[in-house]
Amino acid sequence: MIELKSYLHGEWVSPQTTALLVSPTTEEAIARVSADRPSLQTALDFGRKVGGPALRSLSFEQRGAMLKVLSKAIHTHREELIELSLTTGGTTRSDGKFDIDGASGTMAYYAALGTKMGATNSIVEPSEQLTQDPRFHGQHAWLPRHGVALHVNAFNFPAWGMGGKLAVALLAGVPVITKPATSTCPLAFRIAEILIATGVMPRGAFQFVAGSAGDLVDQLGPQDLLAFTGSADTAAKLRSAKSVVSRSTRVNIEADSLNSAVLAEGVSAGDDVYRTFLRDVVKEMTQKTGQKCTATRRIFVPRAMMEQVIEDLSAELSRIKVGNPANEEVRMGPLATKQQQTDFLAGLETLKASGAKVAFQHALSLVDVPAGKGFFVPPTLLRADDAGSANAVHTHEVFGPSATVCAYDSTDECIALVERGEGGLVCTIYGEDREVLRTLLLGIAPFHGRVLVVSAKVADKTIQPGLVLPSCVHGGPGRAGGGEELGGERGLRFYMQRTALQGDRALLDRFFEASKS
Ligand code: NAP
């Protein structure tokens, strides 16, 4: 059985006391993980004093070269990692690839960005004359903060969550302490081993905590950063941490989201756009067993299309084979933990109590699973014919393979219903009519971090809504946490301090010559 160690101040550290992790498919014990709540002050100091200066002495180009090696290392171990994801996380091969390729792909993207940013280590904005004197200018410069970035990640993307955040922080020149979720830590732990074994990261640039984050959040200081991904409840706790409230530790929160798929008025069954809509909804409901922050939870359709949409989605969902992800026929595995299984079933009851009705529920004859074992749940489609009064549909995230089809009577009503989610990561609009698409887009965009518009010309070329690309921002207002990650160079700025510099233009220009070329 694997013992999950932490990597602190340049060495692997075994836990004092341990708890067992079990396979979500068979419930057999698979790993031992720390049950301690350690004091990690020395790890913070090590990152700040040893890792920070070493990283800041490198240019973007050099940090990019480092990321290239890290990305390749993950890719080289791809098969082993997919297998590990399958056995310890209960993901299908395809779901495991999605996570692992997400990590190596994001790292490769930021490696290339580093090369493009060149032999400098600051970002400089254009300068502006401040007084009558043309010599006296002001300009904004971004320099890496002198603290440590604490990355706290959710259970559902042990590879991508860790690799994506790490790539951005390292390229910005800030050392990282990463803390994956405990339940799916085995995959993150193996990736940490692989990354460290490359030997390309300076000492102190990367530390890894298996198990509790201990006192790390409380110990963060004014130059440190906290990038959190997880539930709204934990986010609320971390926002009120002493470090955040009293020392202004900078925080980025990526929380939950009731993502929407909107079928615009004017689309008919049989249109290419309609086919893409069905394909996407089924994928977003069932990929990673619906445990994606970007998974579709609410499906808005014109009332006249309700029955057709439910019939077509039900037919697609009934074909999904659920069971042991090691079996090649299986398209959907279990949830990651027993608690999540309990929460999913309770969540469905909450939606039903609020007025939603079950429109389809998968029969769940499990493939290749020991009798009575595993944290499986049935893909479930709900319907809300009076979507305005089904409050929980717009406020309660059921984190598994479930979504609710909501009827609307006008485009304006649809926009108002989408807004009831109080801020989301992604909304996808499927439509043919340009004016309808424009009205939906302008109404919905301010409430989301990302809006994907699927019109006839791109219906067969579009990406799936749940795919987070490193070139576009990820995050969203309100319920989604109010944060923003990735987005190419934009993502680096979270880890850097913007300072307004005022003085002799020629002198300032000379300081930052390389940044401007
Ligand atoms: P969670 O229970 O909030 O845990 C998230 C992380 O926080 C885990 O690493 C957890 O560690 C850690 N944590 C919990 N309490 C902490 C504390 N007091 N101090 C420091 N760290 C603490 O969330 P989850 O169940 O892993 O993830 C599911 C949720 O994440 C869903 O709501 C989903 O929508 C959201 N999510 C959002 C995004 C996004 O990008 N917006 C992406 C993925 C998931 P332990 O595991 O050790 O408890």
Side-chain angles (χ1 to χ4, degrees):
M1 193 184 313
I2 330 168
E3 182 190 67
L4 305 176
K5 299 188 180 96
S6 294
Y7 186 73
L8 303 167
H9 14 87
E11 58 192 42
W12 287 104
V13 181
S14 286
Q16 304 281 312
T17 48
T18 57
L20 280 182
L21 294 182
V22 301
S23 152
T25 309
T26 62
E27 301 184 38
E28 285 161 8
I30 47 170
R32 285 188 182 282
V33 66
S34 169
D36 310 324
R37 194 178 184 278
S39 173
L40 295 165
Q41 176 69 52
T42 50
L44 270 177
D45 289 341
F46 186 70
R48 288 178 191 137
K49 292 184 185 147
V50 180
L55 278 171
R56 292 197 294 276
S57 72
L58 303 176
S59 66
F60 288 122
E61 202 170 44
Q62 289 168 316
R63 295 176 207 146
M66 175 174 75
L67 290 176
K68 192 169 175 188
V69 176
L70 299 179
S71 165
K72 278 195 173 156
I74 295 177
H75 191 70
T76 304
H77 289 81
R78 185 170 184 259
E79 282 307 313
E80 174 203 339
L81 294 172
I82 292 171
E83 192 60 29
L84 192 62
S85 174
L86 199 150
T87 50
T88 64
T91 65
T92 61
R93 255 189 87 73
S94 152
D95 290 349
K97 277 187 213 165
F98 191 65
D99 185 22
I100 291 151
D101 293 346
S104 57
T106 305
M107 283 185 154
Y109 173 90
Y110 276 97
L113 182 62
T115 308
K116 209 162 103 193
M117 292 173 80
T120 179
N121 46 22
S122 54
I123 299 171
V124 180
E125 296 178 6
S127 72
E128 243 181 83
Q129 189 175 322
L130 296 181
T131 64
Q132 301 277 327
D133 186 341
R135 279 196 84 93
F136 195 67
H137 266 237
Q139 68 179 160
H140 293 89
W142 296 81
L143 297 161
R145 283 194 156 205
H146 283 213
V148 164
L150 172 60
H151 291 166
V152 178
N153 281 309
F155 76 89
N156 54 343
F157 284 107
W160 200 341
M162 181 167 93
K165 284 191 176 69
L166 182 64
V168 184
L170 291 184
L171 187 59
V174 175
V176 167
I177 301 180
T178 193
K179 184 251 171 294
T182 302
S183 58
T184 53
C185 187
L187 179 61
F189 168 72
R190 180 65 192 123
I191 293 175
E193 282 189 320
I194 290 166
L195 298 180
I196 290 160
T198 62
V200 292
M201 290 185 283
R203 259 167 69 76
F206 176 69
Q207 299 180 81
F208 177 86
V209 176
S212 161
D215 61 354
L216 273 175
V217 175
D218 295 334
Q219 298 294 344
L220 293 174
Q223 285 282 308
D224 297 323
L225 308 117
L226 171 62
F228 168 80
T229 298
S231 65
D233 287 350
T234 310
K237 268 189 226 152
L238 298 187
R239 269 188 219 285
S240 58
K242 204 169 152 206
S243 51
V244 178
V245 175
S246 314
R247 295 191 284 276
S248 305
T249 299
R250 192 183 281 173
V251 183
N252 191 71
I253 304 273
E254 302 291 337
D256 62 37
S257 172
L258 296 154
N259 309 295
S260 308
V262 173
L263 187 66
E265 289 179 303
V267 179
S268 312
D271 291 348
D272 288 349
V273 165
Y274 183 75
R275 275 194 287 274
T276 305
F277 160 79
L278 292 181
R279 182 201 69 191
D280 285 354
V281 168
V282 172
K283 183 150 207 170
E284 294 303 331
M285 276 181 72
T286 55
Q287 187 178 40
K288 293 203 103 252
T289 318
Q291 294 192 303
K292 278 192 328 207
C293 53
T294 50
T296 299
R297 307 288 175 207
R298 298 179 298 155
I299 306 157
F300 294 95
V301 303
R303 191 171 299 280
M305 292 290 286
M306 255 323 241
E307 304 311 322
Q308 176 83 53
V309 166
I310 288 172
E311 189 184 323
D312 292 340
L313 288 176
S314 304
E316 292 294 327
L317 288 168
S318 66
R319 280 196 273 277
I320 303 249
K321 292 235 161 76
V322 184
N324 186 339
N327 185 307
E328 282 182 7
E329 280 179 27
V330 166
R331 275 179 60 199
M332 199 187 93
L335 298 180
T337 66
K338 175 91 189 148
Q339 184 60 47
Q340 290 163 10
Q341 186 187 39
T342 306
D343 292 348
F344 174 86
L345 298 172
L348 292 183
E349 294 309 313
T350 303
L351 300 191
K352 280 153 68 179
S354 184
K357 293 190 169 59
V358 173
F360 166 82
Q361 193 156 50
H362 195 281
L364 209 64
S365 51
L366 298 177
V367 179
D368 227 358
V369 177
K373 295 291 182 190
F375 312 134
F376 294 91
V377 292
T380 305
L381 191 66
L382 299 158
R383 64 183 294 160
D385 293 83
D386 181 2
S389 67
N391 194 42
V393 169
H394 311 290
T395 57
H396 188 76
E397 181 194 45
V398 180
F399 209 56
S402 164
T404 306
V405 189
C406 302
Y408 69 83
D409 293 305
S410 69
T411 298
D412 285 345
E413 189 200 1
C414 177
I415 293 169
L417 288 170
V418 172
E419 283 177 25
R420 293 269 299 274
E422 294 188 338
L425 294 172
V426 57
C427 174
T428 312
I429 307 169
Y430 300 83
E432 305 270 6
D433 182 308
R434 277 193 197 178
E435 263 321 294
V436 176
L437 284 176
R438 182 172 180 278
T439 307
L440 282 167
L441 175 66
L442 298 184
I444 282 168
F447 298 87
H448 291 85
R450 179 159 63 89
V451 177
L452 171 59
V453 181
V454 180
S455 54
K457 289 211 169 116
V458 295
D460 60 346
K461 300 174 184 73
T462 179
I463 56 164
Q464 67 167 104
L467 183 62
V468 172
L469 292 173
S471 51
C472 292
V473 291
H474 173 63
R479 182 189 308 282
E484 196 174 278
E485 283 184 336
L486 303 171
E489 195 192 293
R490 293 172 195 86
L492 270 58
R493 298 182 188 220
F494 172 68
Y495 297 94
M496 303 176 92
Q497 181 61 39
R498 175 172 48 196
T499 308
L501 306 172
Q502 301 167 326
D504 178 351
R505 177 183 193 171
L507 191 70
L508 294 179
D509 274 356
R510 220 164 301 136
F511 291 155
F512 293 106
E513 248 157 44
S515 309
K516 287 182 166 171
S517 57

